[in-house]
Protein backbone atom coordinates (compact mmCIF):
# COMPACT_ATOMS: atom_id res chain seq x y z
CA UNK A 1 0.00 0.00 0.00
CA UNK A 2 1.22 3.52 -0.83
CA UNK A 3 2.21 5.57 2.19
CA UNK A 4 -0.38 8.27 1.43
CA UNK A 5 -3.15 5.65 1.26
CA UNK A 6 -1.90 4.09 4.46
CA UNK A 7 -2.01 7.43 6.28
CA UNK A 8 -5.55 8.08 4.96
CA UNK A 9 -6.62 4.67 6.21
CA UNK A 10 -5.11 5.29 9.65
CA UNK A 11 -6.77 8.72 9.81
CA UNK A 12 -10.15 7.05 9.09
CA UNK A 13 -9.57 4.29 11.63
CA UNK A 14 -8.70 6.60 14.49
CA UNK A 15 -11.57 9.03 13.69
CA UNK A 16 -13.71 7.84 16.64
CA UNK A 17 -10.83 8.76 18.98
CA UNK A 18 -10.54 12.37 17.84
CA UNK A 19 -11.37 14.51 20.84
CA UNK A 20 -11.00 11.59 23.30
CA UNK A 21 -8.98 12.31 26.46
CA UNK A 22 -8.46 15.81 27.76
CA UNK A 23 -6.23 18.71 26.74
CA UNK A 24 -3.46 19.80 29.11
CA UNK A 25 -5.00 22.55 31.20
CA UNK A 26 -2.20 23.25 33.68
CA UNK A 27 -0.78 25.52 30.98
CA UNK A 28 -3.85 27.70 30.21
CA UNK A 29 -2.73 28.62 26.67
CA UNK A 30 -2.76 24.91 25.75
CA UNK A 31 -6.28 24.39 27.08
CA UNK A 32 -7.70 26.50 24.25
CA UNK A 33 -6.62 24.11 21.47
CA UNK A 34 -9.38 22.20 19.62
CA UNK A 35 -9.08 18.60 20.95
CA UNK A 36 -10.47 17.04 17.77
CA UNK A 37 -7.46 18.03 15.66
CA UNK A 38 -5.48 15.16 14.18
CA UNK A 39 -2.51 15.12 11.82
CA UNK A 40 0.21 12.65 10.91
CA UNK A 41 3.35 13.00 8.76
CA UNK A 42 6.03 10.54 7.75
CA UNK A 43 9.44 11.65 6.47
CA UNK A 44 11.55 8.98 4.81
CA UNK A 45 15.29 8.74 4.37
CA UNK A 46 15.07 9.83 0.72
CA UNK A 47 13.75 13.22 1.84
CA UNK A 48 10.11 12.54 0.93
CA UNK A 49 7.41 13.64 3.34
CA UNK A 50 3.79 12.49 3.33
CA UNK A 51 0.95 13.58 5.57
CA UNK A 52 -2.77 13.62 6.17
CA UNK A 53 -5.26 15.53 8.29
CA UNK A 54 -3.98 18.59 10.17
CA UNK A 55 -0.38 17.74 9.37
CA UNK A 56 0.61 21.27 8.36
CA UNK A 57 -0.90 23.09 11.34
CA UNK A 58 1.64 24.22 13.97
CA UNK A 59 1.17 23.03 17.55
CA UNK A 60 3.14 23.41 20.77
CA UNK A 61 5.91 20.79 20.76
CA UNK A 62 6.39 20.92 24.55
CA UNK A 63 8.45 17.96 25.75
CA UNK A 64 9.31 16.78 22.25
CA UNK A 65 11.83 19.66 22.29
CA UNK A 66 13.77 17.64 24.89
CA UNK A 67 14.95 15.19 22.22
CA UNK A 68 16.62 18.00 20.31
CA UNK A 69 18.24 19.76 23.28
CA UNK A 70 19.63 16.38 24.31
CA UNK A 71 21.02 15.88 20.80
CA UNK A 72 22.69 19.32 20.89
CA UNK A 73 24.32 18.60 24.25
CA UNK A 74 25.45 15.07 23.35
CA UNK A 75 26.84 16.29 20.03
CA UNK A 76 29.27 18.37 22.10
CA UNK A 77 30.19 15.79 24.74
CA UNK A 78 28.91 12.41 25.89
CA UNK A 79 30.44 12.39 29.33
CA UNK A 80 29.68 15.50 31.35
CA UNK A 81 25.90 15.26 31.15
CA UNK A 82 25.73 11.71 32.50
CA UNK A 83 27.30 12.80 35.77
CA UNK A 84 24.30 15.07 36.31
CA UNK A 85 21.36 13.02 35.00
CA UNK A 86 20.58 9.29 34.76
CA UNK A 87 19.11 7.26 31.92
CA UNK A 88 16.62 4.93 33.58
CA UNK A 89 12.84 5.10 33.26
CA UNK A 90 11.34 6.95 36.20
CA UNK A 91 8.00 5.18 36.60
CA UNK A 92 6.84 8.46 38.17
CA UNK A 93 4.91 11.42 36.74
CA UNK A 94 7.00 13.74 34.57
CA UNK A 95 6.97 16.56 37.11
CA UNK A 96 7.44 14.49 40.28
CA UNK A 97 9.59 15.82 43.13
CA UNK A 98 9.62 12.67 45.27
CA UNK A 99 12.25 10.65 43.38
CA UNK A 100 14.51 13.67 43.16
CA UNK A 101 14.91 13.83 46.92
CA UNK A 102 15.69 10.11 47.22
CA UNK A 103 18.29 10.43 44.49
CA UNK A 104 19.89 13.60 45.83
CA UNK A 105 19.08 16.00 43.02
CA UNK A 106 20.13 13.71 40.13
CA UNK A 107 17.07 13.23 37.87
CA UNK A 108 16.35 9.75 36.55
CA UNK A 109 16.50 10.62 32.85
CA UNK A 110 16.73 13.59 30.42
CA UNK A 111 13.04 13.47 29.45
CA UNK A 112 11.28 14.02 32.76
CA UNK A 113 11.08 17.73 33.54
CA UNK A 114 13.91 17.69 36.09
CA UNK A 115 16.24 15.92 33.67
CA UNK A 116 15.32 18.21 30.80
CA UNK A 117 16.04 21.23 32.99
CA UNK A 118 19.56 19.85 33.56
CA UNK A 119 20.02 19.38 29.79
CA UNK A 120 18.88 22.96 29.15
CA UNK A 121 21.21 24.20 31.90
CA UNK A 122 24.08 22.36 30.21
CA UNK A 123 23.15 23.76 26.80
CA UNK A 124 23.11 27.31 28.25
CA UNK A 125 26.64 26.73 29.55
CA UNK A 126 27.68 25.60 26.08
CA UNK A 127 26.00 28.17 23.84
CA UNK A 128 24.37 30.87 25.98
CA UNK A 129 21.00 31.33 24.28
CA UNK A 130 19.86 27.68 24.28
CA UNK A 131 16.41 28.18 22.76
CA UNK A 132 17.81 30.21 19.85
CA UNK A 133 20.37 27.46 19.19
CA UNK A 134 17.55 24.92 19.28
CA UNK A 135 15.42 26.99 16.88
CA UNK A 136 18.37 27.19 14.46
CA UNK A 137 18.66 23.40 14.45
CA UNK A 138 14.92 22.88 13.99
CA UNK A 139 14.70 25.46 11.20
CA UNK A 140 17.64 23.91 9.36
CA UNK A 141 16.37 20.34 9.66
CA UNK A 142 12.72 21.08 8.90
CA UNK A 143 13.56 23.51 6.09
CA UNK A 144 11.05 25.92 7.66
CA UNK A 145 12.74 29.26 8.39
CA UNK A 146 9.52 30.58 9.96
CA UNK A 147 9.57 28.34 13.06
CA UNK A 148 9.11 30.46 16.19
CA UNK A 149 8.63 30.37 19.90
CA UNK A 150 4.94 30.99 20.69
CA UNK A 151 5.36 33.82 23.21
CA UNK A 152 1.82 33.43 24.49
CA UNK A 153 2.45 29.78 25.45
CA UNK A 154 5.86 30.62 26.94
CA UNK A 155 4.25 33.39 29.01
CA UNK A 156 1.47 31.07 30.11
CA UNK A 157 4.02 28.48 31.25
CA UNK A 158 6.03 31.11 33.11
CA UNK A 159 2.89 32.34 34.86
CA UNK A 160 2.04 28.80 36.06
CA UNK A 161 5.51 27.56 36.89
CA UNK A 162 5.37 26.63 40.57
CA UNK A 163 6.23 22.96 40.01
CA UNK A 164 9.08 23.61 37.57
CA UNK A 165 10.42 26.34 39.88
CA UNK A 166 10.36 23.87 42.76
CA UNK A 167 12.18 21.20 40.73
CA UNK A 168 14.88 23.63 39.59
CA UNK A 169 15.47 25.15 43.01
CA UNK A 170 15.55 21.67 44.52
CA UNK A 171 18.29 20.55 42.13
CA UNK A 172 20.17 23.82 42.75
CA UNK A 173 20.07 23.00 46.48
CA UNK A 174 21.96 19.77 45.69
CA UNK A 175 24.54 21.71 43.64
CA UNK A 176 23.25 20.29 40.34
CA UNK A 177 22.52 23.57 38.55
CA UNK A 178 25.20 25.69 36.83
CA UNK A 179 23.17 28.73 35.77
CA UNK A 180 20.63 30.90 37.64
CA UNK A 181 17.27 29.20 38.11
CA UNK A 182 15.41 32.06 36.38
CA UNK A 183 17.65 31.83 33.30
CA UNK A 184 17.25 28.06 33.02
CA UNK A 185 13.47 28.24 33.35
CA UNK A 186 13.14 31.07 30.85
CA UNK A 187 15.08 29.06 28.27
CA UNK A 188 13.19 25.86 29.12
CA UNK A 189 9.78 27.51 28.68
CA UNK A 190 10.88 29.00 25.38
CA UNK A 191 12.10 25.64 24.04
CA UNK A 192 8.84 23.92 25.06
CA UNK A 193 6.76 26.68 23.43
CA UNK A 194 8.20 26.30 19.94
CA UNK A 195 5.35 25.74 17.48
CA UNK A 196 5.84 23.14 14.73
CA UNK A 197 3.62 21.14 12.41
CA UNK A 198 3.79 17.36 11.99
CA UNK A 199 5.57 18.00 8.70
CA UNK A 200 8.23 20.18 10.38
CA UNK A 201 8.72 17.74 13.21
CA UNK A 202 8.99 14.59 11.07
CA UNK A 203 11.65 16.29 8.93
CA UNK A 204 13.50 17.66 11.97
CA UNK A 205 13.69 14.23 13.60
CA UNK A 206 14.95 12.45 10.53
CA UNK A 207 18.61 12.48 11.67
CA UNK A 208 17.62 10.03 14.40
CA UNK A 209 16.30 7.60 11.78
CA UNK A 210 19.39 8.24 9.63
CA UNK A 211 21.86 7.09 12.30
CA UNK A 212 22.86 10.68 13.09
CA UNK A 213 23.13 12.12 9.56
CA UNK A 214 21.40 15.39 8.79
CA UNK A 215 19.35 15.90 5.65
CA UNK A 216 22.28 17.57 3.89
CA UNK A 217 24.42 14.48 4.57
CA UNK A 218 26.55 16.10 7.29
CA UNK A 219 26.86 14.46 10.67
CA UNK A 220 24.70 15.75 13.54
CA UNK A 221 25.54 12.82 15.81
CA UNK A 222 27.62 9.67 15.53
CA UNK A 223 25.58 6.54 14.87
CA UNK A 224 26.35 5.48 18.43
CA UNK A 225 24.93 8.71 19.82
CA UNK A 226 21.82 8.41 17.64
CA UNK A 227 21.36 4.84 18.85
CA UNK A 228 21.56 6.04 22.43
CA UNK A 229 19.00 8.82 22.01
CA UNK A 230 16.63 6.36 20.35
CA UNK A 231 17.14 3.97 23.27
CA UNK A 232 16.29 6.68 25.80
CA UNK A 233 13.22 7.62 23.77
CA UNK A 234 12.09 4.00 23.84
CA UNK A 235 12.59 3.55 27.58
CA UNK A 236 11.76 7.06 28.86
CA UNK A 237 10.06 9.03 26.08
CA UNK A 238 6.38 8.63 26.85
CA UNK A 239 6.14 9.57 30.55
CA UNK A 240 5.39 6.73 32.93
CA UNK A 241 3.72 4.80 30.10
CA UNK A 242 6.91 3.98 28.15
CA UNK A 243 6.31 0.25 28.73
CA UNK A 244 2.78 0.49 27.35
CA UNK A 245 3.99 2.56 24.37
CA UNK A 246 6.70 -0.02 23.59
CA UNK A 247 4.07 -2.77 23.91
CA UNK A 248 1.60 -1.09 21.57
CA UNK A 249 3.83 0.77 19.12
CA UNK A 250 7.27 -0.80 19.48
CA UNK A 251 9.50 2.07 18.33
CA UNK A 252 11.32 4.95 20.07
CA UNK A 253 8.94 7.84 20.73
CA UNK A 254 8.76 11.15 22.57
CA UNK A 255 5.48 12.77 23.47
CA UNK A 256 4.56 16.24 24.69
CA UNK A 257 1.57 17.64 26.56
CA UNK A 258 0.65 19.63 23.43
CA UNK A 259 -0.53 16.28 22.03
CA UNK A 260 2.38 15.63 19.67
CA UNK A 261 4.48 12.47 19.44
CA UNK A 262 7.70 12.05 17.47
CA UNK A 263 8.41 8.39 16.64
CA UNK A 264 11.57 7.08 15.01
CA UNK A 265 11.98 3.93 12.95
CA UNK A 266 15.77 3.63 12.68
CA UNK A 267 16.96 3.10 9.11
CA UNK A 268 13.50 3.89 7.68
CA UNK A 269 11.61 7.02 8.64
CA UNK A 270 10.54 9.56 11.20
CA UNK A 271 6.84 9.99 12.07
CA UNK A 272 5.13 12.93 13.75
CA UNK A 273 1.55 12.71 14.93
CA UNK A 274 -0.59 15.31 16.68
CA UNK A 275 -3.92 15.20 18.44
CA UNK A 276 -4.38 17.28 21.61
CA UNK A 277 -6.59 14.93 23.69
CA UNK A 278 -4.31 13.26 26.27
CA UNK A 279 -4.71 10.08 28.31
CA UNK A 280 -4.09 10.08 32.07
CA UNK A 281 -0.34 9.61 31.59
CA UNK A 282 -0.11 12.65 29.26
CA UNK A 283 0.15 10.87 25.89
CA UNK A 284 -2.11 11.71 22.94
CA UNK A 285 -4.96 9.16 22.77
CA UNK A 286 -5.47 9.32 19.01
CA UNK A 287 -1.73 9.78 18.44
CA UNK A 288 -0.73 6.56 20.19
CA UNK A 289 -3.55 4.69 18.43
CA UNK A 290 -2.40 5.99 15.04
CA UNK A 291 1.19 4.89 15.68
CA UNK A 292 -0.07 1.51 16.87
CA UNK A 293 -1.94 1.12 13.54
CA UNK A 294 1.08 2.36 11.60
CA UNK A 295 3.57 -0.17 12.97
CA UNK A 296 0.99 -2.96 12.83
CA UNK A 297 0.04 -2.29 9.19
CA UNK A 298 3.63 -1.76 7.98
CA UNK A 299 5.32 -4.36 10.20
CA UNK A 300 7.95 -1.69 10.94
CA UNK A 301 8.17 -2.02 14.70
CA UNK A 302 11.76 -2.57 15.88
CA UNK A 303 10.61 -5.82 17.51
N1 LIG B 1 6.54 22.69 29.41
C1 LIG B 1 5.89 21.56 29.99
C2 LIG B 1 6.21 21.50 31.47
O1 LIG B 1 7.27 21.77 31.86
C3 LIG B 1 6.34 20.32 29.28
C4 LIG B 1 5.58 19.16 29.72
C5 LIG B 1 5.54 18.05 28.73
O2 LIG B 1 5.26 18.22 27.55
O3 LIG B 1 5.80 16.93 29.20
O4 LIG B 1 5.38 21.20 32.28
Amino acid sequence: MELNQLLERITDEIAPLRGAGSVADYIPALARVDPSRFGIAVADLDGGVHGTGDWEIPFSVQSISKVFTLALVLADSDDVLWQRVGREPSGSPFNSLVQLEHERGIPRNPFINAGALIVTDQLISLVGDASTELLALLRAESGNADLRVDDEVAGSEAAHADRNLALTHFMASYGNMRNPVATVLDQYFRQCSIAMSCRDLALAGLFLAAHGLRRDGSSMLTSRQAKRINAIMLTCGTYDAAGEFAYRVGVPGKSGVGGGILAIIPGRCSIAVWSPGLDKRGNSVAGVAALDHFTTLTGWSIF
Side-chain angles (χ1 to χ4, degrees), residues 3-4 7-8 11 39-42 49-55 198-199:
L3 209 42
N4 276 332
L7 297 181
E8 294 288 356
T11 303
I40 183 167
V42 178
V49 56
H50 310 266
T52 50
D54 298 318
W55 69 299
C198 291
R199 177 199 182 94

Side-chain angles (χ1 to χ4, degrees), residues 2-301:
E2 291 280 321
L3 209 42
N4 276 332
Q5 279 177 296
L6 181 78
L7 297 181
E8 294 288 356
R9 174 169 165 187
I10 291 170
T11 303
D12 288 345
E13 282 178 4
I14 63 84
L17 293 175
R18 290 172 81 136
S22 40
V23 294
D25 55 5
Y26 76 102
I27 301 171
L30 295 183
R32 292 198 283 276
V33 180
D34 174 359
S36 69
R37 294 280 194 190
F38 174 84
I40 183 167
V42 178
D44 62 38
L45 293 191
D46 301 328
V49 56
H50 310 266
T52 50
D54 298 318
W55 69 299
E56 292 179 295
I57 296 191
F59 61 91
S60 192
V61 297
Q62 294 296 316
S63 277
I64 302 171
S65 64
K66 298 171 182 175
V67 172
F68 297 95
T69 48
L70 180 62
L72 285 168
V73 167
L74 292 186
D76 177 78
S77 156
D78 277 13
D79 303 330
V80 189
L81 183 72
W82 300 126
Q83 293 160 23
R84 305 179 58 197
V85 60
R87 39 183 194 252
E88 292 292 345
S90 72
S92 305
F94 67 99
N95 57 3
S96 169
L97 273 159
V98 176
Q99 208 163 43
L100 207 47
E101 178 159 29
H102 280 302
E103 298 178 0
R104 307 198 59 75
I106 308 285
R108 269 288 170 98
N109 68 65
F111 291 156
I112 52 174
N113 280 16
L117 286 158
I118 296 287
V119 176
T120 298
D121 181 42
Q122 184 102 1
L123 190 56
I124 294 168
S125 296
L126 282 172
V127 302
D129 188 343
S131 58
T132 298
E133 187 79 7
L134 173 63
L135 259 182
L137 170 70
L138 296 173
R139 285 175 178 161
E141 295 313 291
S142 67
N144 182 353
D146 294 332
L147 293 185
R148 293 182 302 105
V149 170
D150 182 329
D151 290 318
E152 192 201 345
V153 175
S156 188
E157 291 205 41
H160 297 84
D162 290 337
R163 184 65 70 104
N164 284 322
L165 270 161
L167 288 167
T168 315
H169 278 295
F170 203 50
M171 291 188 288
S173 77
Y174 283 103
N176 196 11
M177 201 47 70
R178 306 287 180 264
N179 293 285
V181 166
T183 307
V184 175
L185 281 172
D186 176 56
Q187 289 288 340
Y188 172 79
F189 295 143
R190 292 181 64 73
Q191 80 176 56
C192 289
S193 302
I194 291 172
M196 295 174 77
S197 67
C198 291
R199 177 199 182 94
D200 298 327
L201 202 51
L203 286 169
L206 205 51
F207 68 89
L208 289 168
H211 308 296
L213 292 184
R214 302 173 79 152
R215 292 211 292 144
D216 65 5
S218 65
S219 175
M220 166 75 202
L221 300 173
T222 64
S223 61
R224 191 169 72 154
Q225 289 167 330
K227 174 186 79 174
R228 289 180 165 169
I229 293 181
N230 281 320
I232 300 169
M233 288 172 76
L234 181 74
T235 53
C236 311
T238 41
Y239 306 115
D240 45 335
E244 179 68 11
F245 186 82
Y247 177 80
R248 287 185 62 190
V249 181
V251 301
K254 180 74 202 89
S255 52
V257 295
I261 306 174
L262 173 65
I264 304 296
I265 307 189
R268 280 193 188 275
C269 62
S270 157
I271 310 165
V273 61
W274 171 55
S275 192
L278 307 179
D279 62 23
K280 289 198 165 50
R281 275 18 193 307
N283 296 309
S284 167
V285 174
V288 174
L291 291 169
D292 181 352
H293 281 301
F294 185 90
T295 53
T296 303
L297 290 168
T298 56
W300 291 353
S301 147

